C-alpha cells in the first residue's frame, strides 16, 4: 500500500480514456487471443491480494469494516430500518470497488482533485489538514483546512462523492481528538500547507499507527469561537489551560462538570463490538450480492 | 303527563327539572330534599329557553347537580377501569401459540396464493389509457434518506420507500362509492389477524389475502379497476415519472408558539414575557387566522411532484428525489402526480409520465428483471468517478 495511490489513479486514467484510445489498444489484444500456440505469460500483479495483507490493531480493511458503516444511535429501536443500512453499505462498497479511497484520519494531510464545472480545466486540486470525518454511509463528509496567504480556507467533501477524481494522502497522522475544529483558533502554522507539498512515505498497514500526543498552541485572544474550558469533554491536543490562572480553571471545571455525568449514563453508551461482527459478515455477503445485481445490469445495457 | 311527573318526583335518579328528563349524576341526598318542596299543581310546563335548546342541554349528561356538587361515588372517565379483555384473556399459553401458528401458516399460504393464483383463474379486462383516466397507486414504508449523485457532478437527497406486501383489498364501483368516481382499497404489510375488525377481516377474506396493517384509499377511474388480491410491486412505477407522497408527520403534541410557528419570544432577562405570543390584535377582537399554540405535527402531509430516480426490484425499493414528512418506518401513500403541468395528454406522454396502465403486467413471466434500474441522469456507484467534458478548444 506504500505510496501507491498514484498507481491506482493511473489505472483509473486508462479506464477513463476516450473510445479511440481504447480501440487503438484493442487489435493487439485480439492477436494474442487468436494465436493458439503462443500464450502470453501473466504479468505479476503488483496489487497485494486481500488475504496477504495484514492489518494492525486500530486499522481495518475498508472493504469489510469502516467507521462510516456504523449506523447512528437512534432510540427507540423501531425508528431505524436495517434494510436501508444494508442498501447504503452496498453502495459504499460499489464506490470503494470503483475508486480507491485511501485510509486517513482527522489530523492527516490530504490532497483532493475534484470535478468542477467552473474551473478552467474542469477539475481543481486542494490540499489541507483534515478537521473532521463524520456521518453514516454515503452521507459521510470530511473537511479540509488550509491557510493560503494568511486566509483560512475550509472545504467540505463527501467521502463517497463520485466527483472526487483523485485522493492522495500526503502525510498520515492520527490525533487523539477526532474533532479538530479548534485549529481555527490555533496558531495558523498548523494548517499552512504548501499546495505543492510532496507526499511522505506511508506506513504499511501491518504497522500500528502512533497517536499524535502533542499540544497545540491556541491564539492569545480570549475570543475563541468556542469556549473550550467550559465544555465537556475537553479537547486533548489543544493546550487551552496555559491561557488561564489556576483559580479560573477551577471555576471553569464547574461548567464542564455539569455535562460530565454523561460518561456514567448507561443509556448513552453505544456498544459497537457486537455490531462490528455483524457488519463484517454482512459486507462479505454484500460482495456476491453486488456482483449478482450488476451482472443483470450489464445484460440489459449490452 | 301527570303520571310521568309523579314518577319524576318519586325517583331520585332523575333530575328535579320537570321539563328535562336527563340523567342526574349528582349527589342524591340533596335531590331528595329538593323534591320535598311544595309545588303548585296546575302549572304550565315551563318553556325551554332557546339557548338551552341550541346547546342541547336536554340530552347532555351532567356530572354535578345545580349547585356544582358531585357525589362521592363519582369516578371521572380517565379513572374508570380499562376493559382488560383481549382475545387470549382466558387461554393458556399453549393454546395461544397453537392458534398463532395456525394463523401464521394460513397467512403465508394466502400470500403465496395471492402472488400467483387469483389473477390466473379470472382475469379482469385490461383497458387502454384514455385522457383524464386515473391509475391506482401503492402503499409503502419510508426507509430513510441518503444522497444520490448525478452525472453532472451535482447531488440531491433521495428518500427510500419500500413497497412491502402490497395488495389490492377491495374495489368499489362508481355506483357503490359515490356515483362520481370508483375507488380502490390498497393495503400493505401483513399483520396479525387477532386484533382486527370483523368487517375489515371479511374484505381480506374475500380478496384471498392475509390481513394488512395499513390501508389507503385511491380514487380511480373505472377503466383502471383492479381485481382484489392483485399484488403491487416497485415495477408499478417507472423511472423518471413524478409521484405524490402522503404520510403522517412526526407528532410533537400541544406545543407553544415558539416551537410551532418559530416566533421569537421574550428576552431571558425580561420580567414577565418569556416564550409567549405578542399582540393578538386591537379593538377587542382577535385577528382571524392568528398563529397560536396548539397541536404540532401528527397530521397527514402531502408532497407533490417527487421524481423517481432509481428502482430496486429485488427489495421493491423506490428512490425518490426530495424529502417528505414522517419518521422512519412510516406508512406512505404513493400515487401519480396531481401536478397539472405533469399530466399526460397523449398516449406517448402517458408512457413517460405515469407508470404502466392500469398495472405492471410482465410480458414474459420467466424473464428475470434487472435488479437495479437507474434514471439516465443518475450516476451509478459502480462507475468510475465523474470527468466533465472540457468546453475549451
Amino acid at each position: 500500500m506504500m505510496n501507491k495511490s498514484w498507481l491506482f489513479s493511473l489505472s483509473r486514467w486508462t479506464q477513463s480514456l476516450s473510445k479511440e484510445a481504447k480501440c487503438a489498444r484493442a487489435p493487439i489484444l485480439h492477436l494474442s487471443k487468436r494465436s493458439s500456440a503462443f500464450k502470453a505469460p501473466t504479468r505479476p500483479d503488483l496489487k497485494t491480494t486481500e488475504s496477504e495483507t495484514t492489518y494492525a490493531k486500530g486499522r481495518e480493511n475498508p472493504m469489510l469494516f469502516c467507521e462510516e458503516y456504523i449506523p447512528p444511535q437512534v432510540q427507540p429501536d423501531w425508528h431505524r430500518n436495517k434494510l436501508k443500512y444494508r442498501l447504503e453499505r452496498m453502495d459504499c462498497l460499489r464506490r470503494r470497488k470503483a475508486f480507491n479511497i485511501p485510509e486517513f484520519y482527522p489530523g492527516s494531510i490530504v490532497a483532493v482533485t475534484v470535478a468542477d464545472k467552473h474551473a478552467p480545466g474542469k477539475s481543481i486540486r486542494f490540499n489541507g489538514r483534515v478537521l473532521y470525518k463524520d456521518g453514516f454511509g454515503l452521507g459521510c463528509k470530511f473537511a479540509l483546512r488550509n491557510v493560503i496567504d494568511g486566509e483560512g480556507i475550509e472545504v467540505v467533501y463527501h467521502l463517497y462523492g463520485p466527483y472526487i477524481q483523485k485522493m492522495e494522502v500526503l502525510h498520515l497522522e492520527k490525533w487523539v481528538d477526532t474533532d479538530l475544529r479548534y485549529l481555527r483558533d490555533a496558531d495558523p502554522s498548523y494548517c499552512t500547507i504548501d499546495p505543492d507539498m510532496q507526499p511522505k512515505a506511508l506506513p504499511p498497514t501491518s504497522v500500528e499507527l502512533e497517536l499524535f500526543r502533542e499540544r497545540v498552541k491556541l491564539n492569545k485572544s480570549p475570543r475563541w469561537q468556542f469556549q473550550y474550558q467550559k465544555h465537556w469533554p475537553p479537547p486533548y491536543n489543544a493546550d487551552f489551560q496555559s491561557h488561564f490562572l489556576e483559580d479560573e480553571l477551577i471555576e471553569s471545571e464547574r461548567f464542564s462538570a455539569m455535562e460530565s455525568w454523561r460518561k456514567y449514563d448507561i443509556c448513552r453508551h453505544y456498544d459497537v463490538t457486537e455490531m462490528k461482527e455483524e457488519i463484517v459478515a454482512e459486507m462479505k455477503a454484500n460482495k456476491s450480492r453486488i456482483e449478482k445485481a450488476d451482472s443483470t445490469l450489464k445484460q440489459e445495457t449490452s | 303527563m301527570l303520571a310521568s311527573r309523579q314518577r319524576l318526583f318519586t325517583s331520585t335518579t332523575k333530575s328535579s327539572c320537570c321539563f328535562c328528563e336527563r340523567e342526574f349524576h349528582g349527589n342524591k341526598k340533596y335531590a331528595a330534599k329538593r323534591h320535598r318542596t311544595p309545588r303548585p299543581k296546575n302549572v304550565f310546563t315551563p318553556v325551554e329557553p332557546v339557548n338551552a335548546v341550541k346547546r342541547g342541554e336536554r340530552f347532555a349528561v351532567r356530572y354535578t347537580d345545580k349547585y356544582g356538587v358531585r357525589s362521592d361515588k363519582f369516578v371521572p372517565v380517565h379513572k374508570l377501569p380499562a376493559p382488560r379483555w383481549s382475545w387470549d384473556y382466558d387461554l393458556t399459553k399453549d393454546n395461544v401459540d397453537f392458534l398463532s401458528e395456525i394463523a401464521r401458516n394460513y397467512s403465508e399460504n394466502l400470500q403465496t396464493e395471492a402472488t400467483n393464483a387469483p389473477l390466473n383463474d379470472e382475469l379482469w379486462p385490461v383497458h387502454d389509457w384514455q385522457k383524464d383516466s386515473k391509475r391506482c397507486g401503492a402503499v409503502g414504508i419510508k426507509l430513510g434518506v441518503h444522497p444520490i449523485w448525478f452525472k453532472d457532478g451535482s447531488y440531491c437527497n433521495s428518500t427510500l420507500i419500500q413497497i412491502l406486501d402490497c395488495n389490492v383489498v377491495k374495489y368499489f364501483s362508481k355506483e357503490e362509492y359515490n356515483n362520481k368516481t370508483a375507488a380502490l382499497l390498497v393495503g400493505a404489510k401483513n399483520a396479525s389477524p387477532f386484533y382486527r375488525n370483523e368487517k375489515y377481516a371479511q374484505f381480506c377474506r374475500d380478496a384471498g389475502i392475509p390481513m394488512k396493517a395499513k390501508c389507503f384509499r385511491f380514487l380511480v377511474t373505472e377503466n383502471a379497476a383492479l381485481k382484489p388480491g392483485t399484488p403491487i410491486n416497485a415495477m408499478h412505477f417507472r423511472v423518471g415519472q413524478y409521484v405524490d407522497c402522503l404520510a403522517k408527520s412526526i407528532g410533537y403534541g400541544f406545543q407553544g408558539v415558539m416551537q410551532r410557528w418559530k416566533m421569537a419570544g421574550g428576552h431571558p432577562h425580561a420580567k414577565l414575557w418569556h416564550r409567549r405570543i405578542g399582540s393578538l390584535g386591537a379593538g377587542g377582537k382577535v385577528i382571524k387566522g392568528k398563529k397560536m399554540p396548539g397541536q404540532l405535527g401528527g397530521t397527514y402531509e402531502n408532497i407533490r411532484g417527487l421524481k423517481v430516480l432509481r428502482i430496486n426490484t429485488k427489495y421493491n425499493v423506490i428512490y425518490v428525489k426530495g424529502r417528505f414528512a414522517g419518521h422512519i418506518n412510516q406508512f406512505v401513500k404513493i400515487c401519480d402526480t396531481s401536478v397539472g403541468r405533469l399530466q399526460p395528454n397523449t398516449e406517448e406522454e402517458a408512457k413517460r409520465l405515469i407508470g404502466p396502465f392500469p398495472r405492471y403486467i410482465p410480458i414474459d413471466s420467466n424473464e428475470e428483471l434487472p435488479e437495479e434500474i437507474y434514471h439516465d441522469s443518475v450516476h451509478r456507484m459502480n462507475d468510475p468517478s465523474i470527468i466533465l467534458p472540457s468546453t475549451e478548444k
Side-chain angles (χ1 to χ4, degrees):
Chain A
M1 291 296 286
M2 261 182 64
N3 221 349
K4 234 190 289 172
S5 53
W6 66 271
L7 225 168
F8 282 117
S9 61
L10 215 156
S11 63
R12 294 258 54 83
W13 178 73
T14 49
Q15 278 190 20
S16 59
L17 275 174
S18 60
K19 279 184 182 175
E20 295 173 10
K22 276 185 182 172
C23 290
R25 267 196 314 176
I28 306 164
L29 290 169
H30 279 296
L31 274 174
S32 62
K33 275 180 187 173
R34 279 171 195 166
S35 57
S36 56
F38 173 71
K39 281 186 177 177
T42 52
R43 275 195 167 186
D45 204 352
L46 289 175
K47 277 184 188 174
T48 47
T49 52
E50 281 168 19
S51 57
E52 287 176 14
T53 50
T54 52
Y55 290 90
K57 196 187 171 189
R59 304 178 77 178
E60 301 284 345
N61 184 3
M63 294 289 189
L64 295 180
F65 184 75
C66 239
E67 213 171 278
E68 307 95 63
Y69 299 159
I70 301 167
Q73 190 180 18
V74 179
Q75 283 174 350
D77 200 46
W78 38 268
H79 271 188
R80 49 166 61 182
N81 195 303
K82 286 187 177 177
L83 176 66
K84 190 249 179 182
Y85 295 150
R86 182 152 48 116
L87 290 172
E88 203 167 344
R89 279 188 211 118
M90 277 163 74
D91 272 3
C92 292
L93 192 63
R94 279 192 179 110
R95 177 66 185 153
R96 280 196 183 271
K97 277 190 169 184
F99 178 74
N100 177 35
I101 299 170
E103 169 198 23
F104 66 91
Y105 304 96
S108 45
I109 299 169
V110 174
V112 177
T113 47
V114 183
D116 187 2
K117 62 182 175 185
H118 302 295
K122 298 294 173 190
S123 68
I124 197 163
R125 186 177 184 273
F126 185 76
N127 65 349
R129 199 179 281 278
V130 181
L131 286 196
Y132 59 87
K133 198 168 85 166
D134 197 18
F136 168 72
L138 296 176
C140 182
K141 289 175 181 179
F142 65 97
L144 297 183
R145 184 182 165 83
N146 199 349
V147 179
I148 296 166
D149 296 340
E151 189 70 33
I153 296 169
E154 279 179 28
V155 190
V156 183
Y157 299 100
H158 285 100
L159 187 67
Y160 292 94
Y163 54 75
I164 293 177
Q165 294 169 352
K166 194 179 169 186
M167 265 174 88
E168 225 177 336
V169 179
L170 304 178
H171 180 48
L172 190 66
E173 217 170 68
K174 197 176 182 182
W175 291 28
V176 179
D177 294 334
T178 50
D179 190 350
L180 311 181
R181 264 173 268 199
Y182 52 75
L183 287 178
R184 293 164 183 169
D185 299 322
D187 192 54
S189 65
Y190 290 100
C191 285
T192 40
I193 290 144
D194 183 25
D196 304 323
M197 180 184 166
Q198 291 300 315
K200 290 180 185 176
L202 297 173
T205 50
S206 54
V207 177
E208 198 174 331
L209 280 178
E210 278 188 28
L211 287 175
F212 180 80
R213 288 187 181 280
E214 288 174 27
R215 304 286 175 130
V216 161
K217 258 189 194 175
L218 292 187
N219 280 337
K220 262 187 186 179
S221 165
R223 283 197 178 181
W224 296 325
Q225 287 191 356
F226 192 74
Q227 287 183 318
Y228 305 103
Q229 78 279 11
K230 285 189 180 181
H231 285 82
W232 185 90
Y236 180 86
N237 292 110
D239 181 22
F240 65 87
Q241 285 89 347
S242 61
H243 292 271
F244 298 102
L245 298 175
E246 249 183 54
D247 297 358
E248 288 173 334
L249 277 175
I250 290 165
E251 199 176 272
S252 67
E253 267 177 25
R254 252 184 55 240
F255 288 98
S256 63
M258 286 163 90
E259 295 263 321
S260 63
W261 54 267
R262 283 188 183 183
K263 62 188 165 190
Y264 304 113
D265 190 356
I266 302 167
C267 288
R268 280 169 197 264
H269 290 192
Y270 193 33
D271 194 10
V272 192
T273 47
E274 282 181 19
M275 198 179 287
K276 188 178 169 185
E277 292 168 10
E278 286 174 22
I279 288 170
V280 170
E282 189 204 299
M283 294 301 280
K284 281 174 186 170
N286 278 350
K287 233 173 225 180
S288 58
R289 275 181 196 140
I290 289 167
E291 282 165 12
K292 204 187 251 180
D294 294 345
S295 65
T296 53
L297 228 174
K298 277 166 194 169
Q299 284 170 13
E300 193 202 16
T301 50
S302 64
Chain B
M1 197 68 213
L2 199 130
S4 68
R5 197 181 290 170
Q6 281 289 332
R7 203 179 66 242
L8 262 177
F9 282 120
T10 49
S11 65
T12 52
T13 53
K14 297 290 179 179
S15 69
S16 63
C17 293
C18 41
F19 58 82
C20 55
E21 296 189 3
R22 64 194 182 197
E23 283 183 39
F24 176 62
H25 292 255
N27 201 336
K28 276 151 200 167
K29 68 180 178 185
Y30 294 114
K33 207 176 185 181
R34 237 172 287 138
H35 294 321
R36 245 179 271 143
T37 51
R39 284 164 186 264
K41 276 191 176 177
N42 296 322
V43 174
F44 291 105
T45 50
V47 181
E48 210 175 346
V50 179
N51 284 331
V53 175
K54 274 185 189 171
R55 274 183 240 127
E57 274 185 6
R58 193 188 297 178
F59 310 103
V61 179
R62 276 195 74 162
Y63 295 102
T64 57
D65 64 354
K66 260 186 189 176
Y67 309 102
V69 180
R70 265 182 196 168
S71 75
D72 303 334
K73 292 170 188 172
F74 176 79
V75 182
V77 174
H78 66 275
K79 283 184 182 175
L80 282 169
R84 298 287 175 200
W85 190 88
S86 60
W87 67 275
D88 57 346
Y89 186 72
D90 48 358
L91 292 178
T92 60
K93 206 203 165 194
D94 294 345
N95 285 340
V96 172
D97 292 345
F98 176 67
L99 281 173
S100 54
E101 196 182 328
I102 287 173
R104 211 181 300 125
N105 292 334
Y106 176 70
S107 63
E108 277 173 12
N109 290 332
L110 278 179
Q111 184 62 29
T112 50
E113 283 171 19
T115 47
N116 306 320
L119 291 174
N120 296 337
D121 53 348
E122 272 182 44
L123 282 170
W124 282 21
V126 176
H127 301 288
D128 288 338
W129 180 87
Q130 289 167 347
K131 206 188 170 187
D132 298 336
S133 56
K134 250 196 159 185
R135 200 173 64 110
C136 178
V139 183
I141 287 170
K142 181 180 172 178
L143 297 191
V145 180
H146 75 60
I148 201 165
W149 282 274
F150 298 105
K151 279 175 181 170
D152 62 338
S154 61
Y155 86 101
C156 77
N157 281 323
S158 69
T159 313
L160 282 70
I161 309 166
Q162 190 191 13
I163 295 173
L164 210 156
D165 309 333
C166 192
N167 285 102
V168 175
V169 175
K170 195 159 171 64
Y171 171 67
F172 298 97
S173 65
K174 201 173 179 180
E175 294 77 24
E176 228 173 350
Y177 193 61
N178 59 357
N179 288 329
K180 285 171 188 171
T181 54
L184 276 167
L185 254 189
V186 178
K189 199 176 179 185
N190 294 345
S192 167
F194 296 115
Y195 300 95
R196 298 287 143 182
N197 189 355
E198 184 60 34
K199 196 177 175 184
Y200 168 66
Q202 191 59 40
F203 283 0
C204 295
R205 231 172 281 143
D206 295 343
I209 51 169
M211 292 209 195
K212 301 293 171 183
K214 179 70 186 172
C215 281
F216 275 109
R217 180 208 61 179
F218 293 90
L219 298 177
V220 294
T221 48
E222 281 195 320
N223 59 351
L226 297 179
K227 192 184 176 184
T230 48
I232 292 173
N233 55 8
M235 289 299 287
H236 191 67
F237 297 97
R238 193 170 274 155
V239 162
Q241 79 159 107
Y242 293 83
V243 291
D244 292 355
C245 289
L246 184 129
K248 198 185 257 185
S249 58
I250 295 171
Y252 292 90
F254 196 99
Q255 287 301 326
V257 108
M258 272 180 74
Q259 193 176 342
R260 198 183 178 205
W261 299 112
K262 305 288 176 282
M263 288 186 183
H267 196 265
H269 298 308
K271 202 169 184 185
L272 292 171
W273 189 54
H274 309 280
R275 307 187 64 83
R276 287 179 74 177
I277 195 168
S279 164
L280 291 177
K285 283 180 181 177
V286 179
I287 299 167
K288 276 197 175 174
K290 181 70 197 149
K291 288 171 178 175
M292 285 200 174
Q295 168 73 24
L296 172 60
T299 52
Y300 277 100
E301 301 289 336
N302 193 14
I303 305 292
R304 304 201 300 163
L306 302 171
K307 197 177 183 183
V308 179
L309 295 176
R310 181 179 162 184
I311 288 173
N312 190 330
T313 55
K314 191 182 176 187
Y315 301 104
N316 284 322
V317 178
I318 298 174
Y319 294 67
V320 158
K321 182 180 177 180
R323 288 168 287 191
F324 52 83
H327 58 70
I328 289 165
N329 296 337
Q330 177 75 47
F331 288 105
V332 192
K333 178 188 177 184
I334 322 159
C335 51
D336 300 334
T337 44
S338 56
V339 178
R341 119 185 101 78
L342 299 170
Q343 299 297 323
N345 289 318
T346 59
E347 205 160 308
E348 287 179 5
E349 282 183 355
K351 282 179 183 172
R352 183 167 53 83
L353 289 173
I354 63 169
F357 190 89
R359 64 186 178 90
Y360 171 69
I361 303 164
I363 301 162
D364 187 7
S365 58
N366 297 324
E367 189 188 344
E368 277 190 27
L369 285 167
E371 197 180 316
E372 301 270 356
I373 304 169
Y374 294 87
H375 191 242
D376 291 338
S377 65
V378 175
H379 177 268
R380 297 170 187 174
M381 291 306 276
N382 47 6
D383 285 354
S385 43
I386 297 160
I387 295 171
L388 297 172
S390 60
T391 49
E392 292 172 11
K393 286 178 183 176

